[in-house]
Amino acid sequence: MSADMNARNWIVLPKLPNRQDWIARLNEAAAAAGYVLHDWDENQAFDDAAPVLLLTASADEARSRQPDASRIAAVLDALDIIIPDEMEQAERHRVVHAASQGFAQATTLPPERVFGPEDLAKGSIRLFPDLEVTRPHAQPPVQGPMAAALQFYTQGRAVWPGAVLTWHKPPTHADGFASLDLTGRPRIIVYGPYFDMPQGRWKAVFTLSVDDYASRYLFRADWGGTEDFASQEFRLQRSGVFEIEMIYDWTTPGICEFRLLVMEGVFHGQISLSDLVVSRVD
């Protein structure tokens, strides 16, 4: 393998649900342009003389080998993470974080080198001057419950539905709210989702509805990493609907966790938590 990798173009294709479809389509486009698509993650050895187009799931890997960002193109189509219902909770969190790391890494490339769903919906895209490709399907595959939440990687804003979080007791989901009986010991009510956040300041906004009984108890909300995070404690004092906004600065890419806790034992009370709206703060 040549010591000079600077002449090679790289395609970053994270672990998307339709990744195999994309690999087939990229193989066709590469062949039409006179290239051989080579999966770097499977085998780092290739013929120096071959017109190789390198494929990897990791933008960090591509950037470590190719300093010229114009020679790297990332495809972020049909963002989703499919989690089997029977998967154990700790394993679910690990899988979510590992899969989302590839999405977060891709956002470190210049915006014009990242091709998201909106770009791909327009038709043919030019990844490099001599390489053009179209989306494998006219429409992306059916998306799971995490699809909406993951749009913050390409749009800088997303709604995180309650279904992507982990609940101490299963709530009732309806109209963008998760409702539950608060009765019980002090505890974490809800937490997650363990996405890998891109570097920067990110805001989480949510609405908490409480009845008169629940308004008497002390709550805490956390937003940030698992070890370092922004935190607010509050006792709402009256029934009603309250909007809470939190900001945390990820100085480096890293795992994220939102938590809502009740800090006291509850004898009676009902709460409803809205979906989280997460957005980048300029």
Side-chain angles (χ1 to χ4, degrees), residues 43-224:
N43 183 2
Q44 296 185 5
F46 58 84
D47 183 355
D48 285 345
V52 168
L53 179 65
L54 295 166
L55 175 71
T56 180
S58 168
D60 285 359
E61 180 67 15
R63 294 186 71 158
S64 72
R65 306 281 181 174
Q66 174 52 272
D68 183 357
S70 70
R71 286 186 168 272
I72 305 173
V75 175
L76 292 183
D77 182 30
L79 291 182
D80 205 353
I81 303 171
I82 308 300
I83 304 292
D85 292 338
E86 65 276 9
M87 183 174 285
E88 190 269 334
Q89 182 175 291
E91 179 66 7
R92 170 193 171 98
H93 296 161
R94 188 197 67 78
V95 168
V96 167
H97 183 234
S100 66
Q101 278 185 306
F103 306 152
Q105 288 178 17
T107 67
T108 64
L109 294 168
E112 66 273 13
R113 302 308 302 150
V114 181
F115 300 88
E118 291 183 1
D119 303 304
L120 299 165
K122 296 173 184 176
S124 179
I125 57 170
R126 192 169 292 278
L127 299 182
F128 303 107
D130 57 353
L131 185 73
E132 193 170 315
V133 67
T134 57
R135 178 184 259 165
H137 303 292
Q139 297 293 328
V142 175
Q143 297 181 328
M146 290 196 180
L150 295 169
Q151 296 310 306
F152 73 97
Y153 287 115
T154 55
Q155 299 179 13
R157 181 186 183 279
V159 175
W160 291 6
V164 307
L165 302 174
T166 301
W167 297 81
H168 181 263
K169 292 194 296 187
T172 300
H173 295 281
D175 301 322
F177 280 84
S179 302
L180 53 85
D181 181 357
L182 197 60
T183 304
R185 60 180 175 79
R187 63 195 183 278
I188 300 175
I189 299 167
V190 61
Y191 57 101
Y194 305 106
F195 297 143
D196 202 62
M197 296 297 287
Q199 181 176 337
R201 297 178 74 224
W202 290 87
K203 176 171 65 176
V205 179
F206 65 95
T207 298
L208 184 64
S209 173
V210 297
D211 66 11
D212 185 58
Y213 296 103
S215 72
R216 305 170 189 175
Y217 298 104
L218 181 65
F219 293 89
R220 193 182 91 202
D222 300 332
W223 168 244

Side-chain angles (χ1 to χ4, degrees), residues 229-246:
F229 46 85
S231 190
Q232 290 186 33
E233 286 194 352
F234 49 90
R235 195 186 305 271
L236 297 169
Q237 307 285 11
R238 61 178 176 84
S239 62
V241 180
F242 302 85
E243 183 176 272
I244 298 167
E245 176 180 306
M246 306 185 73

